Amino acid sequence: MALRIGCAAAPGRAQDNKTGSWRVFMPVVDMEKCILCGTCVLICPETAVSDKDGQILFDLDFCKGCGVCARECRAEAITMIQEEK
Amino acid sequence: MVDKSLELFDCGHRACGGCGPALLARLILKGTGENVIVVASTGCMEVFSTPYPETAWKVPWIHSLFENAAAVASGVEASLKHNNRTEKVVCICGDGATFDIGMLCISGAFERGHDITYICYDNEAYMNTGIQRSGATPYDASTTTSPAGRLSTGNSLPKKDLPPQILNAHGASYVATASVAYPMDVMKKVEKAVNTPGACYIQVHTPPCSTGWGGFDGSKTIEIAKQAIECGLWVNYEMENGELTAAKKVRRIPVETYLKAQKRFRHLFKPQAVTEEIAKIQAIADANAKKYGIDIERNE
């Protein structure tokens, strides 16, 4: 078998790694209480929260369920619920 | 002004849930914008963001060793300058790489005055290699190389006061500290540093490390970071050309509130409170408050 020197794996992306499978608790937002301050979008360590057209969206492919967003939400609009998989 | 809505740090990295340094990586790139080259030392941030062959960085990124990140950044900056290019160079290293191992190369880079921004993310021990004490570990914290026990109350040395003492003596044009508890402040300071000519230094407190600090839920990242500032054990300040220009003022809380939440200080409270050691930590907070004038005067 001929193995060339300098062989390398194909470049990958962190996005290939769906960290959402680590999650136990899932964030759920109550848009009645939400004041759209953007705190959850800013402080998510996973870049998994976004706001679009007046809605807060959680990317559950990547959310690790740490709950930082729920704890820091001033309007107490986010709750962490146990997820059934 | 850079576009703060740009996400240049990708999701899918392997940091623990609620990781302070992971949040910081996002905030740094929001502060610098796209026109940046990142140099990283070995550390948690390097390991969780770039397991071969993946990367979470959407900007050019280079990793070399623990000790020479500042030297690599110097070389990158010199080459960019020679080719008349405009990219900013940002060096991101942990507290071990900054306070202990990399000091030699940092000193060299700051002496030569390269146009780099050196950012230290300070989680107060070598968390990636198994929670060994570093020069940034606070007094009395229990780590694997400074374990608390019958004859020891943990780390016997105080946290090294690196930025003001050492880097101002090198003539750094901008030195600042920040904390992930105040994300807008981090972004503002990073943006200011990359646009300041010459070598700049920012040290960011990135608590909590849920494995290294322990004892609390991962969701308390911001809460614990705020408590560190409120008790005076961490001070957010800015220094320009060696002069203190701003410091965050607080109504201080006792250090017990901050210490009690963490497993690394558990030996100070259980089985019974070690009051003389807690008093020593309170004295450190009091000295910080006096030095930087962070107490808000009460009008009573």
Side-chain angles (χ1 to χ4, degrees):
Chain A
M1 191 179 81
L3 183 67
R4 282 187 196 155
I5 293 170
C7 59
R13 297 183 310 165
Q15 277 192 18
D16 299 339
N17 186 29
K18 305 284 185 229
T19 48
S21 61
W22 302 10
R23 187 176 60 241
V24 177
F25 294 96
M26 181 176 77
V28 175
V29 63
D30 178 359
M31 289 312 295
E32 298 273 302
K33 286 188 192 166
C34 178
I35 54 170
L36 291 173
C37 64
T39 303
C40 51
V41 180
L42 188 64
I43 62 165
C44 176
E46 313 306 325
T47 327
V49 193
S50 54
D51 54 344
K52 199 180 178 191
D53 305 327
Q55 290 292 317
I56 297 293
L57 305 168
F58 295 101
D59 189 340
L60 295 178
D61 278 347
F62 297 105
C63 170
K64 291 172 187 162
C66 65
V68 173
C69 53
R71 192 172 283 271
E72 293 306 314
C73 180
R74 274 169 258 181
E76 297 182 2
I78 303 174
T79 42
M80 302 299 290
I81 59 162
Q82 190 156 6
E83 195 180 3
E84 289 183 18
K85 288 184 183 173
Chain B
M1 278 290 279
V2 292
D3 180 8
K4 297 273 193 295
S5 65
L6 221 56
E7 295 292 355
L8 296 167
F9 192 69
D10 222 345
C11 34
H13 58 75
R14 290 170 164 86
C16 309
C19 177
L23 172 56
L24 178 66
R26 265 186 78 200
L27 298 174
I28 289 172
L29 293 183
K30 277 175 185 285
T32 59
E34 280 179 302
N35 196 28
V36 68
I37 293 176
V38 176
V39 179
S41 73
T42 309
C44 266
M45 200 186 276
E46 173 257 328
V47 170
F48 74 65
S49 65
T50 55
Y52 184 78
E54 293 169 9
T55 178
W57 301 81
K58 294 185 192 170
V59 294
W61 181 92
I62 179 171
H63 163 245
S64 180
L65 300 171
F66 250 125
E67 57 269 36
N68 67 352
V72 173
S74 305
V76 173
E77 186 265 352
S79 161
L80 291 173
K81 204 162 137 191
H82 180 73
N83 292 306
N84 292 322
R85 284 168 60 169
T86 59
E87 285 93 332
K88 310 284 182 192
V89 181
V90 173
C91 200
I92 308 177
C93 305
D95 56 283
T98 305
F99 283 62
D100 304 340
I101 308 174
M103 202 57 234
L104 177 89
C105 291
I106 299 169
S107 176
F110 277 69
E111 183 194 10
R112 294 186 297 268
H114 287 285
D115 189 8
I116 60 171
T117 300
Y118 190 101
I119 300 172
C120 165
Y121 66 97
D122 183 0
N123 50 17
E124 305 190 327
Y126 290 87
M127 296 309 182
N128 167 47
T129 50
I131 319 157
Q132 291 87 359
R133 81 161 283 282
S134 76
T137 306
Y139 183 70
D140 269 354
S142 175
T143 66
T144 50
T145 48
S146 65
R150 208 157 39 86
L151 301 173
S152 158
T153 52
N155 184 26
S156 58
L157 299 168
K159 189 183 177 91
K160 215 193 272 185
D161 196 5
L162 184 108
Q165 309 289 1
I166 303 177
L167 296 175
N168 280 333
H170 282 74
S173 38
Y174 181 70
V175 168
T177 58
S179 166
V180 286
Y182 299 98
M184 301 304 272
D185 184 55
V186 176
M187 288 192 270
K188 196 188 78 189
K189 283 174 177 164
V190 171
E191 193 176 353
K192 186 167 175 181
V194 294
N195 291 310
T196 303
C200 301
Y201 177 83
I202 306 177
Q203 189 175 330
V204 190
H205 202 213
T206 54
C209 179
S210 44
T211 50
W213 293 26
F216 49 81
D217 198 74
S219 66
K220 289 190 179 172
T221 300
I222 309 280
E223 199 176 303
I224 301 274
K226 273 188 184 154
Q227 280 177 3
I229 292 171
E230 281 166 2
C231 73
L233 286 174
W234 182 265
V235 184
N236 270 1
Y237 59 78
E238 277 184 301
M239 285 180 172
E240 284 169 53
N241 303 313
E243 297 294 320
L244 187 72
T245 51
K248 179 164 174 59
K249 294 192 181 248
V250 288
R251 288 193 197 280
R252 279 200 293 140
I253 57 169
V255 290
E256 279 98 326
T257 324
Y258 171 63
L259 303 179
K260 248 183 188 164
Q262 302 170 39
K263 201 166 138 193
R264 60 176 181 159
F265 292 113
R266 188 173 55 183
H267 56 283
L268 298 179
F269 299 95
K270 281 175 186 171
Q272 66 271 347
V274 191
T275 41
E276 66 266 36
E277 290 299 319
I278 297 170
K280 281 184 197 167
I281 299 174
Q282 185 65 55
I284 294 172
D286 292 345
N288 276 345
K290 200 175 161 203
K291 187 174 173 188
Y292 297 105
I294 56 166
D295 277 326
I296 295 173
E297 303 294 334
R298 286 168 198 267
N299 298 321
E300 284 170 312

Coordinates of all heavy atoms in Angstrom, one line a residue, chain A residues 1-8:
Chain A
M1 N 0.8 -1.2 0.0 CA 0.0 0.0 0.0 C 0.9 1.3 0.0 O 1.8 1.4 0.8 CB -0.9 0.0 1.3 CG -2.0 1.0 1.2 SD -3.0 0.9 2.7 CE -2.0 1.8 3.9
A2 N 0.6 2.1 -0.9 CA 1.4 3.3 -1.0 C 0.7 4.4 -0.1 O -0.4 4.8 -0.5 CB 1.5 3.8 -2.4
L3 N 1.4 4.9 0.9 CA 0.9 6.0 1.8 C 1.8 7.2 1.6 O 3.0 7.1 1.9 CB 0.8 5.5 3.2 CG 0.2 6.5 4.2 CD1 -1.3 6.7 3.9 CD2 0.4 6.1 5.6
R4 N 1.2 8.2 1.0 CA 2.1 9.4 0.8 C 2.3 10.2 2.1 O 1.5 10.3 2.9 CB 1.4 10.3 -0.2 CG 1.5 9.8 -1.6 CD 0.9 10.9 -2.6 NE 0.7 10.3 -3.9 CZ -0.2 10.7 -4.7 NH1 -0.9 11.8 -4.4 NH2 -0.3 10.2 -5.9
I5 N 3.5 10.7 2.2 CA 3.8 11.5 3.3 C 3.0 12.9 3.2 O 2.9 13.4 2.1 CB 5.3 11.8 3.4 CG1 6.1 10.5 3.7 CG2 5.7 12.8 4.5 CD1 7.5 10.5 3.5
G6 N 2.5 13.3 4.3 CA 1.8 14.6 4.3 C 0.3 14.4 4.1 O -0.4 15.4 3.7
C7 N -0.2 13.3 4.2 CA -1.7 13.1 4.0 C -2.4 13.8 5.2 O -1.9 13.9 6.3 CB -2.0 11.6 4.0 SG -1.6 10.7 5.4
A8 N -3.6 14.3 4.9 CA -4.3 15.1 5.9 C -5.8 14.8 5.8 O -6.3 14.4 4.7 CB -4.1 16.6 5.7

